[in-house]
Amino acid sequence: VDRTRLPILRSRDGHDLAGGRDPAGAPRSQPGIGEPSPEQAAAPPAPEAMICNAESAQAHIGHNATEAGGAVILKESGARTLRWGPPRSAWTMDYRQDRVNVQYDDQMKIIAITCG
């Protein structure tokens, strides 16, 4: 078996699960307790939480449901994602604080803007 081609097993937090040895069997240095692994140290910082506020986008009710209008609603609401709700469509009931929902009718007019 060519041990140099075996994958390195790591836990989610980046710690070596192969007993501190590299694929060739030599001891491998591990990050100390409380120190980030090299992969964690190179990771970009987490984005700030984006929480939807539908109140600021209510002025768009009655407007046409368009891609440009959706982009404005997304920006004004502060949400990370936008979900369009076509007429008579079923929606999942999961609540996401970073999502704005825009429902529209058969004439493509926006009838409701909510968060979740």
Side-chain angles (χ1 to χ4, degrees), residues 51-62:
I51 299 176
C52 175
N53 177 3
E55 293 300 318
S56 59
Q58 296 301 306
H60 297 279
I61 293 177

Side-chain angles (χ1 to χ4, degrees), residues 62-87:
H63 293 183
N64 290 329
T66 64
E67 184 177 347
V72 172
I73 292 169
L74 185 64
K75 182 176 180 179
E76 289 180 3
S77 70
R80 181 183 312 271
T81 58
L82 180 143
R83 175 168 64 168
W84 289 106

Side-chain angles (χ1 to χ4, degrees), residues 52 83 91-92 94-101 114-116:
C52 175
R83 175 168 64 168
W91 287 19
T92 61
D94 63 315
Y95 181 82
R96 292 191 35 202
Q97 67 182 3
D98 67 342
R99 179 173 60 198
V100 63
N101 303 305
T114 60
C115 293

Side-chain angles (χ1 to χ4, degrees), residues 6-58:
L6 295 176
I8 298 171
L9 300 175
R10 294 192 182 277
S11 64
R12 283 186 174 181
D13 59 2
H15 289 94
D16 184 1
L17 297 177
R21 304 272 177 189
D22 68 14
R28 182 190 332 243
S29 61
Q30 292 185 4
I33 296 174
E35 294 178 23
S37 68
E39 293 87 5
Q40 291 170 325
E48 292 184 28
M50 298 178 84
I51 299 176
C52 175
N53 177 3
E55 293 300 318
S56 59
Q58 296 301 306

